Amino acid sequence: MGIKTRLQEDIASIYDRDPAARSTVEILFNYPGMHAIWIHRVSHRLWRANWRLSARLLSTFSRFLTGVEIHPGATIGRRFFIDHGMGVVIGETAEIGDDCTLYHGVTLGGTSWQAGKRHPTLKNNVVVGAGAKILGPITMHDGARVGSNSVVVKDVEVDTTVVGIPGRMVAKATTQQTEQSERRSAMAKKYGFDAYAVSPDNPDPVANAIGQMLDHMHLMDSKVQDLCKVVETLGGDVCTERLPQLDVGEFNEAEIAAAQKRQKSLDEFDPII
């Protein structure tokens, strides 16, 4: 593939992934991520030709010029895009496939001082959010996504998103989990507090604890209702009064406002970034 064709691919990939790109001239002169990638391609050829010192000197110059540090030994595929660029570090044995995207502050680092493969492998169409760290000789399979500021130390499966420290998989909810989430939400509303973040796939331990409490209350309510029915069939009259409604005044209003604010932030959240 010729230099012109490769350059056209890189420019087209920036247009596709950055709505702020307005012209080819702007991309050529104002995208340090692309500058770093092109300098790396030269330094990588020098590295493979065993001109190691020259390759390292060129990569150091690139770091000074762009703020992006790519070891000349790293292998990078086509249409690779580094957005913003500043603070990105890519280690010697890192391998990056086609159509991958890294945001600023990303590290593809090692966890060992031993020679050999010690940096991550990114397959095709991988997106790594700002500030994320991917460490060790692990593999990010096709379509993997890493949330901002996450730390990933294990392999990530195809089309899977990981977030947190250490990175945890954000799985699609199963039918059973969806039913459980709906049941928890109903119980939360019944007892007068916001049902935000009580879904079973939420990684927050406090939210999970609240969710388990809601499950327990739902079970107890069901058992009490069954007992009431049995007592009534025996002539008893102990379940005629309704449970009092919880009225927490200003606190309830503040909680509703906070819930609306959180929901607005959630609606505006872009999981790719």
Side-chain angles (χ1 to χ4, degrees):
M1 178 178 291
I3 294 176
K4 182 179 179 181
T5 304
R6 184 65 66 88
L7 179 60
Q8 289 173 337
E9 273 193 350
D10 289 340
I11 292 173
S13 70
I14 292 175
Y15 272 124
D16 290 340
R17 288 177 251 178
D18 187 3
R22 293 179 176 83
S23 70
T24 300
V25 173
E26 179 184 11
I27 292 173
L28 289 173
F29 287 98
N30 296 286
Y31 277 74
M34 190 181 72
H35 302 157
I37 292 168
W38 274 86
I39 295 174
H40 168 74
R41 286 176 179 155
V42 177
S43 67
H44 183 63
R45 295 190 70 171
L46 292 173
W47 184 266
R48 294 186 64 181
N50 211 31
W51 291 58
R52 300 297 171 88
L53 179 59
S54 298
R56 290 303 302 271
L57 289 173
L58 185 57
S59 68
T60 300
F61 170 74
S62 176
R63 181 180 65 176
F64 170 77
L65 182 68
T66 66
V68 178
E69 181 175 351
I70 308 176
H71 193 284
T75 302
I76 294 177
R78 297 164 55 186
R79 298 178 297 276
F80 178 44
F81 179 39
I82 302 176
D83 199 4
H84 302 293
M86 183 62 68
V88 169
V89 177
I90 300 175
E92 177 186 3
T93 60
E95 300 174 58
I96 300 174
D98 297 336
D99 301 299
C100 293
T101 302
L102 305 186
Y103 289 86
H104 52 282
V106 168
T107 298
L108 305 184
T111 56
S112 171
W113 291 346
Q114 303 297 322
K117 176 66 173 173
R118 59 190 184 279
H119 297 96
T121 296
L122 276 60
K123 298 293 187 179
N124 300 330
N125 298 298
V126 174
V127 178
V128 184
K133 316 299 178 188
I134 304 177
L135 306 176
I138 62 176
T139 300
M140 311 289 294
H141 291 279
D142 292 351
R145 300 288 187 270
V146 179
S148 298
N149 295 314
S150 300
V151 178
V152 183
V153 293
K154 295 182 179 180
D155 291 354
V156 177
E157 299 176 2
V158 174
D159 295 327
T160 300
T161 299
V162 294
V163 298
I165 303 175
R168 294 181 176 84
M169 180 177 65
V170 179
K172 295 181 180 179
T174 63
T175 302
Q176 182 179 1
Q177 289 174 327
T178 301
E179 292 175 354
Q180 184 184 51
S181 179
E182 292 175 352
R183 184 173 66 249
R184 288 179 175 181
S185 296
M187 289 299 297
K189 291 177 182 178
K190 177 179 179 180
Y191 282 93
F193 64 89
D194 174 32
Y196 176 76
V198 297
S199 60
D201 59 340
N202 192 298
D204 183 0
V206 176
N208 281 330
I210 293 175
Q212 292 176 19
M213 290 173 60
L214 291 171
D215 291 340
H216 181 77
M217 287 188 287
H218 173 75
L219 180 62
M220 293 301 295
D221 271 12
S222 299
K223 289 185 177 295
V224 169
Q225 289 175 5
D226 291 341
L227 287 172
C228 285
K229 290 179 181 179
V230 173
V231 171
E232 287 177 353
T233 58
L234 296 175
D237 186 15
V238 295
C239 301
T240 56
E241 295 184 2
R242 294 175 57 87
L243 292 174
Q245 295 293 323
L246 296 177
D247 185 6
V248 289
E250 294 181 358
F251 176 80
N252 190 40
E253 294 176 1
E255 177 63 14
I256 292 173
Q260 293 172 345
K261 184 177 180 181
R262 289 193 293 264
Q263 186 61 46
K264 181 180 178 181
S265 299
L266 185 63
D267 293 340
E268 296 173 351
F269 173 67
D270 185 352
I272 293 179
I273 298 177

